[in-house]
Amino acid sequence: MTLRKVPGALALGLGASLVAHGFLYRGEHAMGGPYHAILLQLALAGALSLGFFLGSLALHGARAAADGSVLASRLTARLPGFGAIAVAATAWYAAAEFLEPHHAAAPWLGVALFLAAASWLIGLAARAMLALLAGAILAIFGSVFAPRRPSWSIRRASTPRARSRVCTRRHVARPPPIGFGCRA
């Protein structure tokens, strides 16, 4: 993972850890205890700043792309992968559990499965939102020139025309110069 993907991994990982904690404990207690509101605000600020950053990159690249899917695939390279989001989600989850007062622990296998599932879902949602954002920005700020798109129509198969016998005998309008017997 490159260094430029770390902020995105931290922002998406916090969201994934909040989702996993919510599904694990089903509202019994808030993640982070007294710091729950700060964690929610941090997750919202991280998601909005990541969206603003990717939106500004999409706005910059809107003139160079002919299609929203092209722009989205270029911007997807800026998003962290599943592994980076899962590692960040695990770190956020461990930090929040450290801050919470003592409570009944969830099984480790359940924690790992829910963190992995939440990380995958958050990554999938981020890519879908990025494709939507790229399509919207390209529709609004895209280039004025729209290339012709191919269109298909159904036609009957036509039979080739039969050529007349006169046209098949004559290939050239005049004979070549060598045919006159002239030598230079």
Side-chain angles (χ1 to χ4, degrees):
M1 180 174 79
T2 59
L3 190 60
R4 67 180 173 191
K5 293 182 182 181
V6 170
L10 289 174
L12 295 175
L14 179 57
S17 67
L18 284 167
V19 169
H21 190 277
F23 278 115
L24 274 171
Y25 291 102
R26 300 178 197 263
E28 289 178 10
H29 66 278
M31 180 177 167
Y35 299 102
H36 181 70
I38 294 172
L39 289 175
L40 284 177
Q41 289 175 358
L42 189 61
L44 181 64
L48 288 177
S49 63
L50 183 65
F52 179 74
F53 171 70
L54 292 172
S56 64
L57 284 177
L59 185 62
H60 179 70
R63 297 272 183 210
D67 194 3
S69 62
V70 172
L71 186 60
S73 67
R74 288 179 186 165
L75 293 176
T76 303
R78 303 282 183 169
L79 285 177
F82 166 73
I85 296 172
V87 167
T90 305
W92 280 112
Y93 183 84
E97 286 295 317
F98 180 74
L99 293 174
E100 289 177 3
H102 185 66
H103 59 80
W108 287 104
L109 182 61
V111 171
L113 288 176
F114 275 109
L115 281 173
S119 299
W120 181 75
L121 285 174
I122 291 290
L124 187 68
R127 281 168 179 67
M129 291 305 247
L130 184 63
L132 184 69
L133 178 72
I137 285 182
L138 194 65
I140 295 170
F141 299 107
S143 66
V144 178
F145 172 72
R148 269 179 73 184
R149 303 212 180 226
S151 62
W152 291 272
S153 62
I154 300 173
R155 292 184 187 173
R156 289 187 344 198
S158 62
T159 57
R161 280 188 344 176
R163 297 176 73 174
S164 69
R165 190 168 175 92
V166 175
C167 292
T168 57
R169 295 281 182 198
R170 191 172 33 153
H171 292 287
V172 293
R174 62 179 180 86
I178 193 89
F180 290 118
C182 302
R183 294 192 184 225

